[in-house]
Amino acid sequence: MMILPIYIYGHPVLRKVALDIDAANYPKLKELIDNMFETMYHADGVGLAAPQVGLTDRIFVVDLAPLANEEHPEFKNFKKVFINAHITERSGETELVEEGCLSIPGIHEKVPREGEVTIAYLDEDLQPKEEHYSGFMARVIQHEYDHLDGILFTDRISPLRKRMVKSKLAAMEKGKVACDYKIRTAR
Ligand code: NI
């Protein structure tokens, strides 16, 4: 397995809309997925989308095991691959919860997201699935799914908070960023 560089805020690939793949004929799909998990674990993340490793493919991976606790034992077995992901329904009350992103190191902000989501996708065996999620799982899925549409969590924060993080984001765009995993900046 290989640890891939994580693309940082400001890199144009993070703003592209990712496209469905021909999963059955995609070269080394298994290897890519393994590398995405490895890259995510190495950076202590719980989700990673293909644009974050420079690919405009509609793929993301999630593993909530590091967040499993007595309140949320179900996170322990929540390791999933979402290929050709499409959200088919969003519902429930909007909740405001703090998020971070491996492509935006050092910034954590409260992000409004709908409480429930239904998503259609192919799993790692290329089997079609359609599943409904709520709570934190729905949030992580919406965050990763946003990456496939070129949307970052900082796009969704309040105007006031946007102003507060503006200079940090501008620095990232210029390649001024410090973190302890392998990255690729726009400059
Ligand atoms: Ni992210």
Side-chain angles (χ1 to χ4, degrees):
M1 270 182 280
M2 197 166 67
I3 291 166
L4 308 168
I6 294 178
Y7 286 60
I8 296 296
Y9 185 97
H11 198 289
V13 75
L14 295 174
R15 293 309 192 174
K16 297 254 167 69
V17 174
L19 303 174
D20 281 346
I21 62 163
D22 178 0
N25 296 303
Y26 190 101
K28 297 181 180 174
L29 180 58
K30 174 88 174 66
E31 196 176 307
L32 170 64
I33 289 164
D34 287 347
N35 289 343
M36 284 177 70
F37 274 116
E38 191 69 7
T39 300
M40 181 183 82
Y41 295 140
H42 179 73
D44 292 325
V46 294
L48 188 74
Q52 295 182 275
V53 292
L55 299 171
T56 53
D57 297 325
R58 233 168 157 79
I59 303 168
F60 66 84
V61 301
V62 172
D63 189 348
L64 300 185
L67 304 177
N69 56 26
E70 277 181 18
E71 199 187 341
H72 289 292
E74 73 277 16
F75 289 174
K76 197 159 186 242
N77 299 309
F78 196 92
K79 179 182 177 180
K80 278 176 177 284
V81 179
F82 296 81
I83 299 164
N84 295 349
H86 292 276
I87 285 181
T88 54
E89 200 185 346
R90 297 178 200 249
S91 59
E93 273 179 44
T94 300
E95 294 161 13
L96 201 59
V97 174
E98 193 171 274
E99 296 185 12
C101 179
L102 295 178
S103 292
I104 314 176
I107 296 180
H108 295 85
E109 294 290 336
K110 284 185 176 170
V111 182
R113 296 200 188 270
E114 274 139 311
E116 295 177 43
V117 71
T118 304
I119 187 165
Y121 66 98
L122 303 177
D123 69 10
E124 66 273 32
D125 300 318
L126 310 188
Q127 296 304 303
K129 297 269 174 82
E130 187 162 16
E131 290 170 338
H132 183 82
Y133 292 102
S134 60
F136 190 73
M137 288 171 174
R139 173 165 296 270
V140 173
I141 284 167
Q142 288 176 82
H143 176 116
E144 298 312 324
Y145 186 83
D146 266 355
H147 279 297
L148 305 184
D149 286 339
I151 300 167
L152 300 169
F153 84 88
T154 45
D155 301 340
R156 297 192 182 278
I157 63 179
S158 73
L160 171 67
R161 294 308 307 171
K162 266 185 197 161
R163 285 201 294 280
M164 302 295 286
V165 299
K166 199 177 169 190
S167 62
K168 268 192 189 174
L169 291 178
M172 271 181 223
E173 284 177 329
K174 291 184 186 127
K176 286 178 197 149
V177 56
C179 63
D180 56 8
Y181 45 87
K182 195 160 69 165
I183 58 171
R184 184 156 297 164
T185 57
R187 276 189 257 173

